[in-house]
Amino acid sequence: MKIRLSLLFLLVVLARLTAENFEEIAFPDVEGKNLLGSTVAFPEAFSSCQYHLVIVAFQQRQQEEVDTWLPSLIQLEKRNENFKVLELPTIEKMNRLMRWVIYRGMRSGIEETSARGRTITLHIDKKPFKEALRIESEESVRLYLVSSEGVVLWQFRGPYSEKAFQMIEQKIAVR
C-alpha cells in the first residue's frame, strides 16, 4: 500500500511540474495584406472566428505543399462555421516596388475571391516571427491551429497527412 501511495504521489508531482513548465505559444503581432488589398493584423484577426488554421509558407515552391492541404481544409471550413483557413506567404522585408511586384504576381495567379481573401502576405523581419512560433527551418510549410485569442492549440510541419487532418477535426470538435 505504501508503494502505491508513493507512486501516486510521484505521478501527481510530475503532472504538476509538466503543467507548470508548459509554455503556451501565442501567435506573434504581425501585419500583412491580403490579395483583396485589405490590411490584416494578427493576432486581432483571429477574433473573427473560434478557430483558424494558419498555413505559413516561406518559399514559392512550398505552394505545392500548401495545395495538398487546401481541398480537405476548405471542405472542413464549409462544414464548420467556427473554422477558417488562412495562407500566410512569409517574405523578408523589402522595398515597396518589390513588394508591389510580388503582390501583383500572386494576385494574378489567384482569381477566386475567397482564395484572395484568405491569402495574406507578410513582409516582415522573419527572425522574431520564427522564434515566436518555434520555427527552426524554412524548408517546409507550417500549420497552426489558432484560437480566437491567438493561442496556438496545435501545430504540424509538412504536406498533407490524413492523421494530422483527423487531429485538426478532433481539436475543433472537442472545444
Side-chain angles (χ1 to χ4, degrees):
M1 183 69 165
K2 236 181 186 183
I3 293 174
R4 285 186 183 165
L5 286 174
S6 296
L7 184 57
L8 181 60
F9 176 75
L10 179 61
L11 289 174
V12 169
V13 168
L14 287 174
R16 281 190 173 172
L17 285 173
T18 303
E20 290 170 6
N21 291 329
F22 176 74
E23 187 176 342
E24 195 171 80
I25 299 175
F27 202 88
D29 293 331
V30 290
E31 191 173 274
K33 184 177 177 182
N34 71 18
L35 297 183
L36 295 174
S38 299
T39 299
V40 181
F42 296 98
E44 294 84 13
F46 296 128
S47 66
S48 68
C49 183
Q50 189 173 3
Y51 302 104
H52 284 81
L53 194 289
V54 179
I55 306 173
V56 177
F58 294 99
Q59 301 168 24
Q60 185 177 5
R61 68 174 172 75
Q62 291 173 339
Q63 188 61 46
E64 291 176 17
E65 279 186 45
V66 172
D67 291 344
T68 66
W69 282 97
L70 289 177
S72 297
L73 292 173
I74 290 168
Q75 287 303 312
L76 182 57
E77 185 180 68
K78 288 178 182 176
R79 293 191 317 262
N80 189 328
E81 64 186 30
N82 294 314
F83 176 78
K84 293 207 181 308
V85 178
L86 298 175
E87 295 179 58
L88 301 184
T90 304
I91 305 167
E92 197 66 51
K93 283 183 179 180
M94 57 183 63
N95 67 49
R96 290 182 102 156
L97 178 60
M98 288 305 297
R99 283 196 318 255
W100 183 83
V101 168
I102 290 171
Y103 177 81
R104 289 312 228 185
M106 289 174 65
R107 194 172 195 283
S108 69
I110 300 174
E111 294 181 14
E112 186 183 322
T113 303
S114 62
R116 285 181 173 183
R118 79 169 161 262
T119 305
I120 303 159
T121 306
L122 304 179
H123 290 277
I124 58 172
D125 178 3
K126 293 192 289 186
K127 188 174 189 261
F129 179 77
K130 290 176 6 182
E131 286 173 354
L133 291 175
R134 316 282 193 297
I135 298 172
E136 297 166 2
S137 169
E138 296 184 13
E139 291 304 310
S140 192
V141 298
R142 297 294 186 132
L143 285 81
Y144 297 93
L145 181 63
V146 184
S147 73
S148 58
E149 294 84 26
V151 175
V152 174
L153 305 171
W154 177 86
Q155 59 182 301
F156 184 80
R157 179 181 50 121
Y160 180 82
S161 153
E162 182 64 33
K163 185 175 180 179
F165 181 73
Q166 289 172 355
M167 290 177 78
I168 295 167
E169 288 181 308
Q170 290 172 355
K171 292 274 186 194
I172 66 173
V174 170
R175 298 187 178 266

